[in-house]
Amino acid sequence: MNLTSAVSYFPLNSMLPNSPLSTARHLILEHFFFSSSGYALVLDRQSPLWLSLVPATTNSQNAKLCIKTDATRSPYNNSRANTTEVNSIRFSVYASRNIRSLYDALSGNSLGGAFQVISRPSTLPAPQLLSYPSWLVTAGRSKFFAEESDFNTEKVIQFSEVLKQNGYLHNLIMLDSGWQWDVARPGNPWASFYKGAFSNPKWLTTRVHDNTQKLGLLIEPYLSTLGWDFKDHRDFFVKSKANAGGKFTAAAEGPLKDRALFDVTNEAAVRFMADRVNSLVKENEVDFLELASIRTALDGAVVQLNRSEEVPGSGSSTLFSQRYLLHLSTALNQAAGRPITTIVQEGHETQALSSFVRISPRTSDWAGLRSVIPTVLSLSIAGYSFILPDIVGGSVPVKSATNQENGIYPFFFTERELFIRWTQAVAFMPALQFATPPWEYDDGPNVPEKNKDTANLVQKVLAKRVLLARDLLVRLANLRQQSGAPIIRPLWYRWPEDEHAYLIDDQFMVGDALLVAPVLERGATGRSVYLPRGKWKAEQGQAGQVEHMGPVTVWVDAPLEVVPCFTLII
């Protein structure tokens, strides 16, 4: 299943360009595919696989999944490129009466887990991320943090106070990587606060906790090659074989060129990282950690690792990514002496972790919004149930004429309507995160009076999340651990006999009974919603008939304050 790439395909029934199955290209990656006819293809992870999907033609009614090996091209290129072992394709095929029974078997929900391919989480993450929004503190996304100089203790505390004043209690504040000393400022210890901006981090966490909130930090797995930590621990880092002498570098060019990447196949390096983060967490009472992706550093690189035999085809980052997450997450929890909920940005056979998985960055436009649900459905079916979609409004800047016309602050990436619809789309997912406070949309110098209700509309959506989904998400998280059932589900999971359900990629189920069908088009004040077999009750603002018998497609009026939701009664 090809997941969280720049283009999301769900279901995978139209076209997939020739692409390597490697985390050097895709942040979340699994080596299995499901068919609506009840078959599963599970590929061997050690082969340098390339996949493409040939669409159906007039001569062939069915699309064809094409698989080949090629170890001579990036990101697989390495010294073993021409061996039979590397270039062979090994796979298993599983079959069942339908896709639901097949999925239950492969996720260990039947047959005693004999054919389990999709692991269940060994523990559950802290329920706070399932229950309340989080806020990413990063420069350039709000008035509070318009400039890099605004990223400091006093401003974060002020922001925490404003969140509390606006009714956002028990929320999580997540600091972007600018809090660190070494990554942006060489010559100082890794995983320590930059004293120039955060002179008293313990005071920061105390004040945040006093406001009933939690504090999280983004951890970068890089270290400046100009700092003392690097000079004292040169054996801890990935070396590039492309440079004479094994140059220590995370990337040949770009923003990472002066950064060394920790080698997580080196046990001493993992202990070093765990000890540093342990001190960071204990001394400052940090509540959550996010592990930044290593993909950029290993994209196409041929590297030298401490234990290269554990990473077949050393040009591939797939197993390195897996070890990075498994070993570092375990070490951090052991070192801290208490469970530390982590957020990760990549994964490969790491469903057993209790980490939240952040989907890859989305463009701040309507196409970016439309890509969220297919990506979340793919991740969920692949066994990654604790999903944090990209920040509300997306994180890849796109110029917006609408913003300029309305006088919205120039550092906002997202127009107001898109921001509200994006909030509605992710409000019923396992987690949601803001970077731009919604009330700032109401304060623009030229915002029409009729549009100064963004904060109120967002609060209504979050109140609906509390009413319909908050407790449900916690219950489904426990069910995921017990039975392997996903939290967010495509319609076919509940109705495998319904052929139309396989084509739906703009609606989703939360559990077996709550259907969410957000509006995903600019200017739309309604949408058609497909309701599978059963009796359905409309949950929010739908005029006229409030109950429907499925299967049926209904038109739902959905002005800007409405997100269409339905509950299955029988």
Side-chain angles (χ1 to χ4, degrees):
M1 188 172 291
N2 182 14
L3 307 174
T4 30
S5 55
V7 180
S8 301
Y9 302 91
F10 187 92
L12 195 62
N13 60 359
S14 55
M15 183 183 71
L16 174 68
N18 192 35
S19 178
L21 271 182
S22 167
T23 55
R25 301 297 173 85
H26 310 288
L27 289 176
I28 310 296
L29 180 75
E30 295 302 321
H31 286 69
F32 53 80
F33 296 81
F34 294 106
S35 165
S36 59
S37 56
Y39 290 90
L41 176 66
V42 180
L43 300 168
D44 179 65
R45 69 182 186 179
Q46 298 192 35
S47 299
L49 297 172
W50 295 75
L51 286 94
S52 60
L53 190 71
V54 180
T57 64
T58 54
N59 297 325
S60 175
Q61 296 182 354
N62 297 316
K64 293 182 174 63
L65 182 67
C66 302
I67 306 168
K68 69 175 184 178
T69 60
D70 187 351
T72 64
R73 297 167 57 193
S74 173
Y76 297 115
N77 47 306
N78 64 87
S79 59
R80 300 168 60 205
N82 297 316
T83 66
T84 302
E85 177 188 358
V86 168
N87 284 290
S88 62
I89 299 178
R90 295 181 292 273
F91 60 90
S92 300
V93 176
Y94 299 87
S96 189
R97 66 180 184 275
N98 60 43
I99 191 172
R100 172 62 184 271
S101 62
L102 175 71
Y103 186 87
D104 286 346
L106 296 183
S107 58
N109 196 20
S110 60
L111 302 176
F115 302 106
Q116 186 171 4
V117 173
I118 305 171
S119 300
R120 305 178 197 173
S122 56
T123 59
L124 294 178
Q128 186 157 1
L129 267 177
L130 287 166
S131 302
Y132 301 97
S134 62
W135 302 80
L136 180 64
V137 174
T138 185
R141 292 304 303 262
S142 72
K143 288 192 296 183
F144 261 99
F145 306 102
E147 306 293 340
E148 290 286 348
S149 58
D150 294 325
F151 201 71
N152 58 60
T153 298
E154 290 71 22
K155 295 288 285 188
V156 174
I157 291 174
Q158 290 176 26
F159 181 66
S160 173
E161 296 283 355
V162 172
L163 282 179
K164 182 179 179 180
Q165 293 167 10
N166 281 272
Y168 291 96
L169 305 177
H170 310 292
N171 287 207
L172 166 67
I173 297 176
M174 176 67 70
L175 303 188
D176 204 350
S177 59
W179 67 270
Q180 288 185 95
W181 209 336
D182 180 83
V183 172
R185 302 160 185 88
N188 298 286
W190 179 78
S192 61
F193 277 91
Y194 170 47
K195 298 300 184 183
F198 296 92
S199 58
N200 191 343
K202 179 62 180 300
W203 181 55
L204 168 62
T205 53
T206 298
R207 291 292 301 275
V208 168
H209 291 164
D210 288 344
N211 290 328
T212 75
Q213 297 147 357
K214 301 292 185 181
L215 186 73
L217 304 174
L218 175 66
I219 298 288
E220 298 273 10
Y222 310 111
L223 189 150
S224 171
T225 57
L226 306 178
W228 288 109
D229 272 343
F230 173 78
K231 298 180 187 302
D232 292 341
H233 305 92
R234 296 176 67 89
D235 293 335
F236 287 0
F237 303 98
V238 173
K239 299 179 182 179
S240 171
K241 287 186 177 180
N243 299 290
K247 182 179 178 181
F248 295 90
T249 181
E253 299 295 339
L256 300 177
K257 66 178 182 179
D258 293 325
R259 303 286 178 261
L261 172 67
F262 280 102
D263 181 356
V264 292
T265 71
N266 185 327
E267 294 178 1
V270 173
R271 286 196 302 271
F272 172 85
M273 298 176 75
D275 289 345
R276 283 291 179 87
V277 175
N278 176 44
S279 297
L280 174 74
V281 169
K282 285 187 174 180
E283 292 173 7
N284 302 292
E285 298 183 358
V286 174
D287 303 292
F288 294 83
L289 296 174
E290 179 166 356
L291 304 179
S293 170
I294 63 170
R295 182 187 66 163
T296 303
L298 293 180
D299 188 0
V302 182
V303 298
Q304 177 181 336
L305 303 174
N306 183 64
R307 299 175 67 178
S308 59
E309 73 279 0
E310 297 194 14
V311 189
S314 59
S316 171
S317 67
T318 303
L319 295 188
F320 188 88
S321 297
Q322 180 192 50
R323 188 179 179 93
Y324 165 57
L325 298 178
L326 290 175
H327 289 257
L328 190 55
S329 295
T330 301
L332 294 182
N333 278 282
Q334 290 176 346
R338 61 183 173 90
I340 296 292
T341 294
T342 54
I343 303 170
V344 300
Q345 300 178 3
E346 58 194 299
H348 173 66
E349 297 182 357
T350 51
Q351 298 97 327
L353 294 177
S354 59
S355 301
F356 275 81
V357 177
R358 181 189 295 278
I359 72 172
S360 60
R362 307 285 112 175
T363 54
S364 297
D365 56 15
W366 291 91
L369 171 59
R370 287 190 292 271
S371 74
V372 171
I373 294 177
T375 302
V376 169
L377 289 174
S378 293
L379 277 173
S380 188
I381 288 300
Y384 296 93
S385 289
F386 308 118
I387 303 168
L388 175 62
D390 196 13
I391 56 176
V392 170
S395 57
V396 180
V398 174
K399 289 184 178 180
S400 171
T402 304
N403 279 358
Q404 295 171 2
E405 291 168 4
N406 288 349
I408 302 297
Y409 301 100
F411 45 79
F412 286 168
F413 297 159
T414 309
E415 61 190 78
R416 172 180 173 271
E417 180 190 2
L418 177 59
F419 183 86
I420 295 170
R421 291 301 193 190
W422 203 304
T423 303
Q424 294 172 348
V426 302
F428 301 93
M429 293 179 181
L432 74 157
Q433 186 172 75
F434 296 96
T436 303
W439 56 85
E440 291 189 359
Y441 277 91
D442 301 335
D443 298 332
N446 300 313
V447 176
E449 194 65 31
K450 65 177 182 178
N451 289 348
K452 294 186 176 182
D453 61 348
T454 305
N456 181 52
L457 292 179
V458 168
Q459 285 281 25
K460 286 183 177 180
V461 176
L462 297 180
K464 185 62 65 175
R465 172 188 170 92
V466 171
L467 178 65
L468 294 179
R470 188 172 74 182
D471 293 341
L472 174 62
L473 288 168
V474 175
R475 291 198 302 272
L476 290 170
N478 283 279
L479 184 63
R480 166 77 180 106
Q481 185 183 28
Q482 295 164 11
S483 71
I487 296 175
I488 302 299
R489 306 171 184 179
L491 271 60
W492 58 253
Y493 184 85
R494 176 66 174 78
W495 295 273
E497 76 287 349
D498 187 337
E499 293 185 2
H500 189 67
Y502 292 94
L503 304 178
I504 303 297
D505 66 352
D506 60 354
Q507 304 174 197
F508 60 92
M509 299 292 298
V510 186
D512 265 350
L514 177 61
L515 185 149
V516 183
V519 174
L520 306 175
E521 301 292 338
R522 172 188 279 140
T525 56
R527 61 159 292 170
S528 61
V529 178
Y530 179 68
L531 302 174
R533 175 175 49 85
K535 186 176 182 181
W536 295 88
K537 175 187 175 183
E539 286 291 352
Q540 183 167 332
Q542 287 82 15
Q545 184 181 7
V546 295
E547 293 185 357
H548 306 272
M549 288 299 300
V552 64
T553 298
V554 299
W555 178 262
V556 179
D557 291 327
L560 194 55
E561 67 271 14
V562 171
V563 51
C565 299
F566 294 83
T567 297
L568 181 64
I569 303 174
I570 55 174

